[in-house]
Structure formats: C-alpha cells, structure tokens
Amino acid sequence: MDRVLLGHGSGGRLMHELIRLSFAPSFGLHGLGDAAVLAEEDGGRLALTTDSYVVSPLFFPGGDIGELAVNGTVNDLAMAGARPLYLTAGFIIEEGFPLEDLARVVDSMARAAEAAGVRVVAGDTKVVERGKGDGLYVNTAGVGRVPPGVRLSPARIRAGDGILVSGPLGRHGVAVMAERTGLAFEPAVLSDTAPLAGLADALLSAGGEGVRIMRDPTRGGLATTLKEFALESALAMRVEEALLPVPPGVRGACELLGLDPFYVANEGILVAVVAPDVSEYVLEAVRGHPLGAEAVLAGRVLEEPGEMVLLATRAGGSRLMDMLEGEQLPRIC
C-alpha cells in the first residue's frame, strides 16, 4: 500500500498502523492516547491535545461541526483525567462559504465552550480557493490540568476489573449518516455530542485510584476502544451484548444498513475500566450525572485469552470483536 486511504482516518486498524509506522518513530511517541500528559517543574501535570473536524454534513440532528469541535477536544482532555481550561480554534474555509453558516458554527462553539467551562483564547483562519476544500474544516487544540492522584493508564488494568459504559451506543454515527443520506428512522436518532468533563470528574471522585483508564469511543466505536484496552494491557475484555445499551433507532438503522452498532461512532459517552472494589460506587456516581443515567457495568477484564475482546451474545454464544477494518462511515467527526 503506497497511498493514504479513507480507512486511514477511520479510527480503526489502518489508522493505528499509520500512526505507529509514519508518525510515532519520527516524533519519538511512546503512547498513542488522544492527549499527552506533561509534567511541570512544580510537580503538577498538564494535558495537551489537538483534533481536526471534517464531518459532513456540517449541520446534523443534535449538533454541528462547531459544537463537535469543542466537545471533542474537551473530551480528549477529560479522558486523560484533566480538567479542561483553554482551547484554540483554527478554521480552513473554502471561498464562497456562506457567512451566515460560519456565524452559526462560531456561535455554536461559543455556547459549547461556555457549557464546558472552557475559554477559546487563540485561533487561526485560512481561506482556500473555491473547489479546494469542502466548505469548512475546524481544528481545535486544548490544554487542561490533571489533579493530583489521578493516574490513568492501560498498564494499571487488572483481571477482574469492571468495564463501565456510560450511555447509549451509536447515536452520533447514525445521526450523521441519516442526515447525509436523507434517510429517516423511527424513532429519530440525535447525535450524543456533549462535554464529558463533568461526568469524568464525578467518576474519578467516586473511584479514586480504582479508576484504571477512561476513553470516549468515537471513531471505531466501542469495539475498537475495547480492543485498544486489550492490546495495551495484554488482557481480555469480555462484555455482555444483553447489557450494552443500543437505542431502538440505532438498532433499526444498523439492521437496515448492515452496520454493527458496536463499531459506530459516539461523541457523548465514555468507557472506563474500574477496580472491582469501587465499581458499584462508580456506577452509582455516573448514573447520578445527567449524561450517565443509562450507565451499565457491561463486563469484566479476564486474564485469558490475552489481547482479545469477547462479546457474550444474546443467543448464549461468544464472538470476537476486533478493531474496525477499513471505513464504515467516513467523515463522521
């Protein structure tokens, strides 16, 4: 393979290979998390992240590219255990893009930043020739502070830990896909885009150092996130299909289009691995937050078979879940 494919942006196996082979060696990267945690001279720690948003269409049921860009970067910081502080915003705008639409996006970003408790403090604007872009792309970068005592790492995952899923699966991917294709589903599905910093804070406050790791299952969905946990810990993740919350609209859309809801992108839920002695406290705390009312303990970490994800099916069987192969839904975020 000598060319970049759409699948290299899927969040699945091709993207991981692209980062591992093309970027990590040159930049000296040892971890592939969404945010880097950097030590300060006074003993504190900062988290730093950046992300680019190319979602199509720009406006979709439940959100738009501006809200998504703020929430996505806030969530990358929150999944590192950080309390988000500041963002930057970069805009690549195609000549001819309606100013009215740009104002809608910027206003949406301002509201999302206020809701997340962060400030947009710097930015950049570039305009490219007509036909050389696709309307609007947005990049956001963010910085946050990691409180003392927060130590999140896949190396801390242990056999017997619980796997917590904070809410319904697949809503963002199905909402964007429905708007893109003009299909309507009953019941209608709205994107779940939301800032997760408050929910993450509630989880960490309840679980303390018993919280091993958190991640938001965006591109590649729940299955790819669990596979990342399995590979990084060399342990097995086993989840119960009957416990995983898939809304009826998402289930119907996936059945109609031949998609697997466990690989569809989410933008407002998190997956956490927690120690068994704190799992019930953590679940209660997450359910007490407005974004976590439907949280479940969906499975356990097993010693064997290492680096595997097992789905215990409703029919009583078991099947392997791997990383997303190729591109199920391109330009989803």
Side-chain angles (χ1 to χ4, degrees):
M1 187 182 303
D2 60 356
R3 304 282 179 179
V4 174
L5 307 174
L6 268 177
H8 283 113
S10 69
R13 184 176 303 284
L14 285 178
M15 193 196 77
H16 281 75
E17 290 180 355
L18 182 71
I19 294 171
R20 181 171 57 83
L21 298 176
S22 298
F23 301 134
S26 296
F27 295 146
L29 301 174
H30 301 292
L32 300 179
D34 287 331
V37 176
L38 309 170
E40 296 181 282
E41 289 184 357
D42 62 0
R45 291 175 296 160
L46 292 177
L48 180 65
T49 188
T50 184
D51 207 341
S52 298
Y53 296 85
V54 298
V55 62
S56 177
L58 301 178
F59 302 94
F60 47 83
D64 58 60
I65 190 172
E67 181 180 2
L68 189 66
V70 170
N71 289 342
T73 294
V74 164
N75 294 347
D76 286 345
L77 294 170
M79 295 305 100
R83 291 172 179 160
L85 297 173
Y86 302 107
L87 302 184
T88 68
F91 299 88
I92 299 175
I93 310 168
E94 183 180 358
E95 178 188 18
F97 187 72
L99 284 172
E100 181 180 357
D101 286 350
L102 182 61
R104 286 179 62 190
V105 170
V106 174
D107 286 347
S108 181
M109 293 179 74
R111 289 193 300 272
E114 182 177 6
V118 297
R119 290 178 56 205
V120 179
V121 294
D124 179 59
T125 301
K126 297 289 189 298
V127 178
V128 298
E129 297 95 328
R130 193 183 301 270
K132 297 293 181 64
D134 193 11
L136 176 69
Y137 300 139
V138 178
N139 172 273
T140 45
V143 63
R145 189 173 300 281
V146 182
V150 174
R151 297 188 305 121
L152 301 177
S153 168
R156 299 185 61 242
I157 297 175
R158 298 288 182 270
D161 286 349
I163 300 170
L164 182 145
V165 178
S166 71
L169 296 164
R171 290 191 293 167
H172 177 71
V174 167
V176 173
M177 184 271 300
E179 184 69 14
R180 186 184 300 171
T181 60
L183 295 174
F185 301 107
E186 288 293 339
V189 178
L190 304 181
S191 169
D192 62 344
T193 178
L196 294 171
L199 182 66
D201 196 46
L203 192 155
L204 289 167
S205 296
E209 294 200 2
V211 181
R212 313 294 199 192
I213 193 165
M214 298 186 293
R215 220 160 265 178
D216 53 338
T218 55
R219 292 169 299 168
L222 174 70
T224 298
T225 294
L226 291 177
K227 183 66 176 182
E228 291 171 353
F229 289 167
L231 290 173
E232 293 164 357
S233 66
L235 297 170
M237 307 289 134
R238 183 180 186 276
V239 289
E240 303 275 346
E241 183 179 20
L243 297 177
L244 292 171
V246 180
V250 171
R251 187 176 300 283
C254 289
E255 289 174 353
L256 178 66
L257 299 169
L259 303 175
D260 186 331
F262 304 135
Y263 288 89
V264 177
N266 314 275
E267 292 290 344
I269 66 169
L270 62 82
V271 182
V273 177
V274 296
D277 59 331
V278 301
S279 60
E280 291 300 328
Y281 302 119
V282 167
L283 179 63
E284 183 179 352
V286 171
R287 283 180 172 170
H289 190 279
L291 295 177
E294 298 180 59
V296 295
L297 282 169
R300 290 283 173 192
V301 179
L302 306 178
E303 192 74 40
E304 299 287 346
E307 301 186 354
M308 297 283 186
V309 180
L310 304 172
L311 177 71
T313 68
R314 294 176 183 274
S318 182
R319 73 175 173 93
L320 292 175
M321 293 202 297
D322 209 334
M323 281 190 177
L324 177 66
E325 292 285 352
E327 182 62 280
Q328 187 170 237
L329 294 170
R331 296 189 57 184
I332 209 71
C333 61

